[in-house]
Amino acid sequence: MKLSRDTSEVYVPDGLDAEQALARTTHLAVGAHQDDLEFMAGEPIIACYQQPDRWFTGVVVTDGRGSPRAGLYASYSDDDMHGVRRKEQRKAAYVGEYAAQVLLDHPSSAVKNGADGDPAEDLAAILAVARPEVVYTHNLADKHDTHIGVAFKTIAALRTLPAEQRPKQLVGCEVWRDLDWMCDDDKLLFDLSDHENLQASLMGVFDSQISGGKRYDLATAGRRRAHATYFQSHGTDNATGLSFGMDMTALIEDDGLDPNTFVQRYIQGFADEVRERLERIGYRNLQ
């Protein structure tokens, strides 16, 4: 498997040959930055943890050089941060017992450049070896440009594969903007009640971001707990943690489907739900 950048890395926590490690993958997540996988893909990581027939592989597309920094890391150069964030991602892969952790090491500018085909080509090469059953990436309503760029590159990569090599499902996950706004019938629900200690450990290894000024660990755990409580208004909690997903499988079943048209359907569904509720309660009688 040939990747486009000499600085790319395939880290295998248990020491297996890289292509053998990738070939056992059942669940694969593609994130923009170091730590995105652990914040957005808790469900597949937990589902595969210590399971002999299920293996999670993580792919991080960008190099982490432009990360914000404060405190201990305030004086770190971009090269310093690059090294720190790679080390943190390897730690997470070891703790989570991933099948493999791929670090593609592209600059963010390449991900946000629609004309740069290298990130998508690298993803296609990985996917052809891994052949996962399910792929997770950023949802198309995320408000971070690099996240949207990674989602587009992932879709483009999947569309290059023959139909029989594509995953059964493509899921858009929550990071910069959650999916609570979606209609409940449209949401994919992921129960994150189990292994809360493991979830905390996976998020906690990213010290350069957490002690460096952003409490992503607390925010993500809080979001999951809030989703579990606020998901249903009439009933007790059925989980202590939930995350929501956007089913984007249609985009790899129909190569002609425009991503903007696709996501607008979910947005219109939400607008219709609000309108119907207001009409049901009789807003037209409001004086």
Side-chain angles (χ1 to χ4, degrees), residues 99-122:
Q101 174 63 62
V102 184
L103 298 158
L104 292 181
D105 213 38
H106 289 281
S108 293
S109 57
V111 172
K112 293 181 285 190
N113 180 359
D116 192 326
D118 285 349
E121 290 177 10
D122 285 347

Side-chain angles (χ1 to χ4, degrees), residues 5 33 61-66 105-117 119 144-146 149-150 153:
R5 299 184 69 81
H33 308 99
V61 180
T62 69
D63 56 21
R65 292 179 185 275
D105 213 38
H106 289 281
S108 293
S109 57
V111 172
K112 293 181 285 190
N113 180 359
D116 192 326
H144 195 306
D145 286 356
T146 310
V150 165
K153 301 296 188 188

Side-chain angles (χ1 to χ4, degrees), residues 111-158:
V111 172
K112 293 181 285 190
N113 180 359
D116 192 326
D118 285 349
E121 290 177 10
D122 285 347
L123 290 171
I126 294 162
L127 289 161
V129 175
R131 302 281 293 272
E133 297 172 11
V134 186
V135 171
Y136 305 79
T137 190
H138 300 285
N139 79 80
L140 291 177
D142 195 290
K143 66 178 182 179
H144 195 306
D145 286 356
T146 310
H147 290 193
I148 295 297
V150 165
F152 284 167
K153 301 296 188 188
T154 303
I155 294 165
L158 287 165

Side-chain angles (χ1 to χ4, degrees), residues 54-194:
R54 286 182 286 181
W55 289 91
F56 174 83
T57 288
V59 182
V60 174
V61 180
T62 69
D63 56 21
R65 292 179 185 275
S67 304
R69 61 210 74 170
L72 170 66
Y73 304 94
S75 64
Y76 277 37
S77 67
D78 283 354
D79 286 345
D80 292 335
M81 289 303 295
H82 176 251
V84 167
R85 299 210 69 189
R86 284 176 78 110
K87 184 186 294 185
E88 290 173 340
Q89 189 61 59
R90 291 191 208 102
K91 288 179 183 177
Y94 183 84
V95 170
E97 300 182 2
Y98 299 178
Q101 174 63 62
V102 184
L103 298 158
L104 292 181
D105 213 38
H106 289 281
S108 293
S109 57
V111 172
K112 293 181 285 190
N113 180 359
D116 192 326
D118 285 349
E121 290 177 10
D122 285 347
L123 290 171
I126 294 162
L127 289 161
V129 175
R131 302 281 293 272
E133 297 172 11
V134 186
V135 171
Y136 305 79
T137 190
H138 300 285
N139 79 80
L140 291 177
D142 195 290
K143 66 178 182 179
H144 195 306
D145 286 356
T146 310
H147 290 193
I148 295 297
V150 165
F152 284 167
K153 301 296 188 188
T154 303
I155 294 165
L158 287 165
R159 285 179 170 181
T160 67
L161 301 177
E164 65 274 12
Q165 292 185 19
R166 298 183 187 186
K168 297 174 183 176
Q169 190 174 39
L170 176 63
V171 178
C173 303
E174 302 174 299
V175 184
W176 283 101
R177 181 173 286 126
D178 67 29
L179 293 171
D180 182 58
W181 59 269
M182 291 179 65
C183 298
D184 287 349
D185 288 345
D186 290 335
K187 293 184 179 91
L188 298 175
L189 305 182
F190 301 117
D191 189 338
L192 294 169
S193 301
D194 294 337

Side-chain angles (χ1 to χ4, degrees), residues 219-237:
T220 302
R223 171 189 282 169
R224 293 171 178 176
R225 187 61 59 96
H227 281 349
T229 294
Y230 285 107
F231 178 60
Q232 292 181 322
S233 59
H234 295 78
T236 56
D237 294 354

